[in-house]
Amino acid sequence: MKSFLVFAGLTVFAHSLHAADWNQYRGSNGDGKSSESIDPARFRAGMQEPVWKVPTNLGFSSFAVSGDAVYTVIKRQHEGEDRETCIALDAETGKERWAVPLSSSDYAHDGGNAGARDNRGGDGPRNTPTVDNKHVYVYDGRLVLSCLRATDGSVVWKHDVVKEFSGRHIKWYNATSPLLHGNTLFVSGGGPGETFLAFDKDSGKVLWKTGDDLMTHATPHIATIDGKQQVVFFMQSGLVALAAETGKLAWTSQFPFSVSTAASPISNGNQIYCSAGYGVGAGLFSVNETKEAEEVWFKPNELMNHWSTPVVHNGHLYGIFEFKKYGRAPLQCVELSTGEIKWSHPGFGPGNCILVNERLVVLSDAGKVTLVEATPEEYKELASAEAIEGKCWSTPAFSNGRLYVRSTQEGACFDLSK
């Protein structure tokens, strides 16, 4: 009887890990990691035929997965106007459950839609929905933060950051996603004294507001430093870290800005890595007891992550580096402590990668998915498959044994469970 109870307990525990939601940009912890696993043989079999495939018209929003539903943002006409539109899909079938029009999407320049062959910016939304058990949160290009009811898409509360908090638009408008931590939702984009905003996720009440800085296209990141929860924003001035509970300034670090910063900061203990394109480069910073983080290393015009945020694993960064180089940018392994490139493999273009246990799932900018061992020793490809057509500047999502990928043309679900 005792052995049965132990087995049952382990089964329940394993199931709870297996069924983890990917409920916001780069996963539940915002670090691009899943504790599930992928078997290479099952990957090869599961990638042969999608569970479902649906049109996802324009934009670079990724999928968020919560329970039995999948969410993303596309461009769709509503009453004769192109609007950012949040859609909810049935996770099992891909059937659309509801669609809610948001702000106008006429702010972005049009520019091709053909994967690695033509990678100009293109029109459409760049933000990813954030989901809890009841609500879906979308921070659209016009800096309108909406809380929608997950069951039917009805509006629960809404804040127009431009009108209510003196918000300031930037070039190509907002591409950040709302960061959910506990009961709090974090965004930036407000004006003087209210650049950084924290809202109660259920009521929309302002919990705190502070700061005077200009936002970038980089989604904020939650970090635990010396046992304290901090929200790290990647702003035009550099890194700004605030106490998650109070908004009190924890530390800052200057970092160059040019045109657009789009990759999120990454934390590893008390160290923060960040990178930007347009000739800027990458750097590692160490947080100490002072208000200014110490620079460990900085490489100008090197290790540029345009918008492809790497993952950190066992002291190494894994991700797609270089600026633009559509169809050619390499997947690289970089030693975090030194910035030394351990290996580099070209041909991915500025897509994105995530870590599923010990393996990288890499989505190229042209829709190819590759499974790679996360080891600094050498590039070790385990399997690959052509998954979707269109331009893929979005990040894969992995939940309950299923891989979700999308492009400016289509989104698909693949069953990789054992």
Side-chain angles (χ1 to χ4, degrees):
M1 182 66 176
K2 181 178 178 181
S3 60
F4 171 78
L5 290 174
V6 170
F7 173 78
L10 289 173
T11 301
V12 171
F13 177 70
H15 178 75
S16 67
L17 288 178
H18 181 67
D21 286 343
W22 190 278
N23 68 314
Q24 60 183 329
Y25 177 65
R26 303 192 73 238
S28 58
N29 295 320
D31 57 6
K33 298 180 182 181
S34 168
S35 61
E36 299 183 47
S37 61
I38 298 178
D39 176 73
R42 181 57 196 152
F43 176 92
R44 298 184 192 98
M47 292 300 297
Q48 291 182 15
E49 187 71 30
V51 176
W52 49 258
K53 185 176 285 189
V54 298
T56 52
N57 184 49
L58 294 181
F60 311 122
S61 171
S62 304
F63 280 124
V65 188
S66 180
D68 62 354
V70 183
Y71 307 87
T72 193
V73 184
I74 63 172
K75 175 181 173 180
R76 180 178 289 178
Q77 277 214 338
H78 180 76
E79 297 180 350
E81 181 184 27
D82 287 335
R83 305 274 289 273
E84 292 189 35
T85 303
C86 182
I87 60 173
L89 308 175
D90 185 284
E92 189 64 34
T93 66
K95 183 179 179 180
E96 188 173 298
R97 292 182 174 180
W98 51 257
V100 175
L102 306 167
S103 296
S104 168
S105 66
D106 64 0
Y107 53 81
H109 60 280
D110 193 15
N113 191 34
R117 296 181 297 280
D118 182 357
N119 271 268
R120 290 171 293 166
D123 206 354
R126 286 110 162 100
N127 52 81
T128 297
T130 298
V131 194
D132 68 4
N133 294 326
K134 301 180 294 182
H135 303 136
V136 182
Y137 309 93
V138 187
Y139 195 32
D140 67 31
R142 296 284 187 180
L143 298 179
V144 177
L145 178 63
S146 299
C147 172
L148 311 175
R149 189 165 281 108
T151 52
D152 59 10
S154 58
V155 178
V156 178
W157 55 260
K158 181 184 293 187
H159 286 293
D160 187 326
V161 171
V162 172
K163 293 180 179 179
E164 299 176 45
F165 305 99
S166 304
R168 296 168 287 195
H169 292 304
I170 59 174
K171 185 181 179 71
W172 301 316
Y173 291 78
N174 176 51
T176 70
S177 303
L179 172 64
L180 178 64
H181 179 67
N183 292 319
T184 308
L185 207 65
F186 303 97
V187 299
S188 68
E194 46 193 0
T195 292
F196 307 107
L197 298 160
F199 299 96
D200 179 272
K201 71 180 182 69
D202 294 321
S203 67
K205 177 184 176 182
V206 179
L207 299 177
W208 52 256
K209 57 182 181 178
T210 187
D212 183 7
D213 208 332
L214 289 174
M215 71 183 304
T216 66
H217 296 115
T219 295
H221 172 70
I222 194 78
T224 302
I225 297 177
D226 293 332
K228 300 175 182 177
Q229 301 292 305
Q230 300 177 357
V231 188
V232 183
F233 293 89
F234 200 178
M235 309 298 287
Q236 292 190 23
S237 68
L239 298 172
V240 179
L242 307 174
E245 187 174 346
T246 64
K248 182 179 179 181
L249 180 65
W251 55 269
T252 62
S253 182
Q254 293 184 351
F255 195 84
F257 174 80
S258 175
V259 184
S260 169
T261 295
S264 293
I266 297 171
S267 63
N268 185 57
N270 72 330
Q271 293 185 322
I272 305 290
Y273 167 87
C274 61
S275 175
Y278 297 95
V280 174
L284 180 70
F285 299 86
S286 179
V287 180
N288 47 44
E289 295 180 354
T290 67
K291 292 293 184 181
E292 180 72 19
E294 178 185 356
E295 181 183 299
V296 179
W297 55 260
F298 177 73
K299 295 183 179 293
N301 205 29
E302 296 182 41
L303 298 178
M304 288 182 287
N305 302 117
H306 194 178
W307 53 74
S308 308
T309 307
V311 293
V312 62
H313 179 60
N314 292 340
H316 292 83
L317 295 165
Y318 297 90
I320 295 172
F321 294 79
E322 293 291 352
F323 181 64
K324 296 188 176 180
K325 290 194 176 180
Y326 306 116
R328 298 180 292 120
L331 178 73
Q332 292 183 332
C333 171
V334 176
E335 187 175 57
L336 182 63
S337 61
T338 63
E340 178 188 350
I341 298 173
K342 307 303 287 187
W343 54 254
S344 181
H345 191 85
F348 290 91
N352 278 283
C353 82
I354 60 174
L355 181 74
V356 181
N357 204 338
E358 298 286 331
R359 287 162 180 161
L360 303 168
V361 178
V362 192
L363 175 65
S364 80
D365 64 347
K368 183 179 181 180
V369 177
T370 304
L371 189 66
V372 179
E373 201 74 58
T375 173
E377 297 174 1
E378 61 179 346
Y379 173 81
K380 186 176 181 181
E381 183 174 312
L382 302 175
S384 66
E386 300 291 341
I388 50 177
E389 296 184 355
K391 180 167 50 182
C392 303
W393 290 359
S394 54
T395 300
F398 197 85
S399 175
N400 200 21
R402 293 189 170 191
L403 174 67
Y404 300 85
V405 291
R406 69 155 289 190
S407 72
T408 50
Q409 294 184 29
E410 58 187 8
C413 168
F414 297 88
D415 187 0
L416 308 184
S417 60
K418 294 182 179 179

